[in-house]
Amino acid sequence: MTPEHDPSDPRRMDILAAVRAIPPGTVAGYGQVARRAGLPGRARWVARVLAEADDPELPWHRVLRSDGRIAFEPCSAGFLEQRRRLLAEGVAVSEDGRTARPRAPDLDAMLWGPASP
DNA sequence: CATATGACGTGGG
DNA sequence: CCCCACGCCATAT
């Protein structure tokens, strides 16, 4: 069996841990999460892990694209749900899924702030 | 084994 | 703003 099929794959656990570490009211990119989990370049895998994740407590909605937009297609079920959760946390999201911060200013390791710079 | 597809990312035109 | 190429990697066909 390939490790990737193992639900207890430590790398998956690392990804989930990185997602859980995102403070409420803030957001992070898929690539950021991947790097934080020690898996640089595996943003796609992060997305897949989130899609498969079953933990209702997982703050998956705090993970966005690197350009600060919601990854789901606008008006899709996932999009609406994610936007709703972000708004509930005080994160500003426009109707087309854009958050306040398009890109991190300098430190790629830092999380994007809630709102006003 | 060869392609295609994604909740991706970076870089360029 | 748009579009494209390429890199990336797990799944699906």
Side-chain angles (χ1 to χ4, degrees):
Chain A
M1 49 157 64
T2 62
E4 289 75 20
H5 288 178
D6 184 359
S8 63
D9 187 330
R11 292 171 293 180
R12 249 178 233 212
M13 299 295 103
D14 290 342
I15 290 174
L16 294 177
V19 172
R20 283 189 261 261
I22 305 172
T26 71
V27 292
Y30 292 90
Q32 263 186 306
V33 171
R35 274 190 298 199
R36 210 189 145 137
L39 299 164
R42 296 183 184 186
R44 280 202 129 112
W45 198 21
V46 171
R48 177 150 269 301
V49 168
L50 291 187
E52 302 287 321
D54 49 346
D55 181 6
E57 296 293 292
L58 188 70
W60 57 268
H61 56 283
R62 296 177 193 147
V63 186
L64 307 172
R65 281 194 196 164
S66 64
D67 61 1
R69 295 187 60 203
I70 288 178
F72 288 108
E73 189 76 13
C75 288
S76 66
F79 175 92
L80 295 173
E81 175 67 10
Q82 185 166 12
R83 179 166 186 262
R84 197 173 61 74
R85 291 193 183 209
L86 287 172
L87 292 177
E89 284 190 352
V91 177
V93 189
S94 62
E95 293 221 359
D96 54 336
R98 276 182 291 210
T99 58
R101 272 262 183 293
R103 296 194 71 161
D106 35 15
L107 280 192
D108 57 350
M110 69 183 268
L111 298 172
W112 296 327
S116 42

